[in-house]
Amino acid sequence: MNKLFSIVFLVSLVTVVSCDDEEQIFPVIETQDITPVSASNFLVKGNVIATGNSLVLEYGFVYSITSSVPDVFQGIKTVVGNRAETGVFERNISLASQPEISSGYTIFVRAYLTNQKGTVYGAIKEFTVPTLVVSSVAPLQAKTGAEITITGNNFSLSPEENLVKFNDIEAEVMGTTATSLLVKVPPGILYPSYLENNRITVTTGGQTVTATENFRVIPTVTDFSPKTGTFNTSVTITGSDFYPFGTAVRIGGKTASATSISDTEVTFNIPGDVTSPNLTMQLLSGNDIIDIINIPGTFTITVPQITSVTPLIGIGGTRVTITGNNFNVGSFNFTNNVVKFGTVEASAFSTSQDEIVAFVPKGLAVGNYPVSVFTGIHTVSFATNFTLTSPMISNFTPSSGIAGSYVTITGTHFGIYDQSNSVLFGNTPVDLYNWDETTIIVFIPVGTPSGTMKITVNASGQSVTSVNNFTIL
């Protein structure tokens, strides 16, 4: 029994001594390849050759823009893990959060492994941060929301690490490769597009590059209102990125200047010389018409109406008021509406959207004539004809007088005075003092021969002679 206890104790002692004297195995790690991926990323590889016999706490890479003494490396630590196994490991490292590291900077990198006894490092390796390049933009003009491609070199493969701006407005990066960026044109670009000086900048890591070619935003048209109306109706086109100068509208083949312009609205008036009831439109943008944009839909000119003609009886030269709606009140409103009595054109005195004042043509024979208005597109007629009649003399006072006196002639449909009107006593013209539709006042010139004679009124190409005689004493 004592002999067996002695053997067990001896074995135990040997075991303890052996554990206390176990040889310490240190970890071994090396820095392998460094591959620049972009202007803001690089891929670095390390190799754990031996993990050692102490507990590994972490391993990874340390990098810096300055090199240090070989046994200590002060830099930014990138931890890969804490369960180190022998073999190759790698990590993609982003410089996006370090804008101070730019093109041409040298980056020093070491692999490391830390266990309970301390830290070991691989050899220092270095590389130079590649230069961010923007070589082209295509297309160089597009609408808001369209996608364009920026080509170049050394873009980050992570879309969020490529900051693209149009002037000061950030754009959404839809996709990326090392040599191209797919970008959506953002709304609200601050600088006026008509100057064509919209610059594009790309920032990746600590580098910002401006494209050498300027970008131009094409205006976008979404709608217009109203869709119907008459001549001179104010129409508003809505959209975005409208130019503040030189913007006009081509409608029905005619050009209308904008009456007001903002970034999102263009207002203009329907011209009075369009000749079609259904009008297509185009937006002309820029002083040199650098964009011609089709506007969706058509504008319809409303058919005019005549509701009354006053008076409905008269002679040539009678002033007639035609009331209604949707008459042509374009730029030349006196001539945009053609008024006819029968087939003979009348002269217009004034026009508004709901009223036209015209004069009955002279020289027409007594009779009934339809009244029509042609607005340049539509022709409308009044339901009741205008009756062209002759002037009538109902009386004159006094019935006799001496040369140098005044005579008042009363009647109807004398019309409005013009230089062709005249009054004759017999064959002798007298001086006109006053003339209106129902009353004419004349002066018998001194020296007019005495005698008994008829009075004749010549008004607007028609004549009427009194039944009774006037006697000059």
Side-chain angles (χ1 to χ4, degrees):
M1 183 70 177
N2 290 337
K3 183 177 181 181
L4 178 60
F5 174 79
S6 299
I7 293 171
V8 172
F9 176 79
L10 180 60
V11 170
S12 298
L13 180 61
V14 170
T15 302
V16 170
V17 171
S18 298
C19 289
D20 287 343
D21 293 341
E22 181 180 358
E23 180 181 2
Q24 176 67 42
I25 300 174
F26 294 99
V28 179
I29 193 167
E30 68 177 359
T31 310
Q32 289 193 331
D33 300 330
I34 301 176
T35 304
V37 178
S38 71
S40 65
N41 295 81
F42 62 94
L43 180 67
V44 59
K45 292 183 179 181
N47 183 23
V48 177
I49 298 174
T51 59
N53 56 5
S54 294
L55 178 65
V56 176
L57 301 178
E58 65 180 39
Y59 68 99
F61 302 96
V62 181
Y63 66 95
S64 174
I65 58 174
T66 59
S67 60
S68 300
V69 294
D71 57 338
V72 178
F73 195 90
Q74 301 297 326
I76 297 175
K77 183 184 294 185
T78 297
V79 179
V80 174
N82 59 6
R83 291 188 177 183
E85 297 180 357
T86 58
V88 175
F89 64 97
E90 64 181 32
R91 174 59 61 90
N92 183 70
I93 297 176
S94 172
L95 301 174
S97 62
Q98 298 169 263
E100 73 280 1
I101 301 179
S102 186
S103 171
Y105 271 73
T106 300
I107 305 294
F108 301 91
V109 183
R110 298 181 81 177
Y112 79 94
L113 185 149
T114 299
N115 64 14
Q116 290 178 319
K117 299 294 185 179
T119 300
V120 294
Y121 294 91
I124 296 175
K125 293 202 172 184
E126 62 185 68
F127 77 98
T128 301
V129 176
T131 301
L132 180 66
V133 175
V134 173
S135 56
S136 66
V137 176
L140 282 172
Q141 54 187 28
K143 294 182 178 181
T144 294
E147 293 179 352
I148 67 168
T149 299
I150 302 172
T151 56
N153 208 354
N154 297 316
F155 299 130
S156 174
L157 298 181
S158 299
E160 65 275 7
E161 292 187 355
N162 300 285
L163 175 62
V164 178
K165 287 186 176 182
F166 289 68
N167 298 322
D168 297 319
I169 303 298
E170 184 174 343
E172 181 180 0
V173 179
M174 308 297 295
T176 179
T177 68
T179 58
S180 67
L181 300 175
L182 185 63
V183 178
K184 182 180 290 187
V185 178
I189 296 176
L190 297 181
Y191 288 89
S193 301
Y194 69 97
L195 293 178
E196 299 186 64
N197 68 346
N198 298 292
R199 67 185 187 278
I200 296 177
T201 58
V202 179
T203 300
T204 300
Q207 301 180 57
T208 298
V209 178
T210 301
T212 58
E213 300 168 301
N214 288 325
F215 179 83
R216 187 171 62 79
V217 178
I218 298 175
T220 298
V221 174
T222 56
D223 200 3
F224 70 93
S225 180
K227 299 290 192 300
T228 62
T230 186
F231 308 91
N232 210 42
T233 295
S234 179
V235 177
T236 298
I237 301 169
T238 54
S240 60
D241 304 308
F242 294 143
Y243 296 171
F245 300 109
T247 295
V249 177
R250 183 180 294 154
I251 175 167
K254 309 296 181 180
T255 300
S257 298
T259 56
S260 67
I261 307 173
S262 70
D263 289 343
T264 58
E265 290 186 346
V266 173
T267 301
F268 72 101
N269 295 331
I270 300 296
D273 55 350
V274 293
T275 57
S276 172
N278 298 307
L279 304 169
T280 58
M281 297 179 287
Q282 294 175 313
L283 185 69
L284 312 179
S285 295
N287 288 320
D288 298 324
I289 311 183
I290 54 180
D291 289 310
I292 300 177
I293 303 166
N294 292 326
I295 300 173
T298 58
F299 182 90
T300 300
I301 298 291
T302 307
V303 178
Q305 292 181 318
I306 299 176
T307 56
S308 69
V309 175
T310 307
L312 274 171
I313 184 171
I315 63 172
T318 298
R319 177 172 170 159
V320 175
T321 300
I322 303 168
T323 57
N325 52 59
N326 300 321
F327 297 137
N328 191 336
V329 287
S331 302
F332 307 99
N333 55 16
F334 289 177
T335 58
N336 288 342
N337 299 283
V338 178
V339 178
K340 287 186 178 181
F341 286 76
T343 60
V344 180
E345 185 175 333
S347 59
F349 175 71
S350 66
T351 298
S352 67
Q353 188 172 336
D354 54 11
E355 182 181 279
I356 301 173
V357 177
F359 297 97
V360 178
K362 296 179 180 180
L364 293 178
V366 172
N368 295 319
Y369 295 88
V371 179
S372 64
V373 175
F374 174 61
T375 63
I377 296 177
H378 301 104
T379 299
V380 289
S381 299
F382 190 52
T384 305
N385 289 341
F386 180 87
T387 299
L388 187 71
T389 186
S390 298
M392 296 179 63
I393 298 175
S394 58
N395 194 17
F396 51 83
T397 56
S399 59
S400 63
I402 61 173
S405 64
Y406 290 91
V407 178
T408 299
I409 305 167
T410 58
T412 57
H413 307 307
F414 293 145
I416 298 174
Y417 170 77
D418 68 23
Q419 293 182 347
S420 66
N421 293 358
S422 64
V423 175
L424 304 178
F425 278 49
N427 294 319
T428 303
V430 295
D431 295 335
L432 301 179
Y433 179 74
N434 183 70
W435 188 298
D436 61 33
E437 283 280 345
T438 59
T439 304
I440 301 172
I441 300 175
V442 299
F443 176 76
I444 304 172
V446 176
T448 302
S450 60
T452 300
M453 60 202 71
K454 302 289 185 182
I455 297 176
T456 300
V457 174
N458 297 311
S460 301
Q462 296 183 6
S463 298
V464 61
T465 301
S466 64
V467 176
N468 299 323
N469 291 326
F470 181 87
T471 300
I472 300 178
L473 302 175

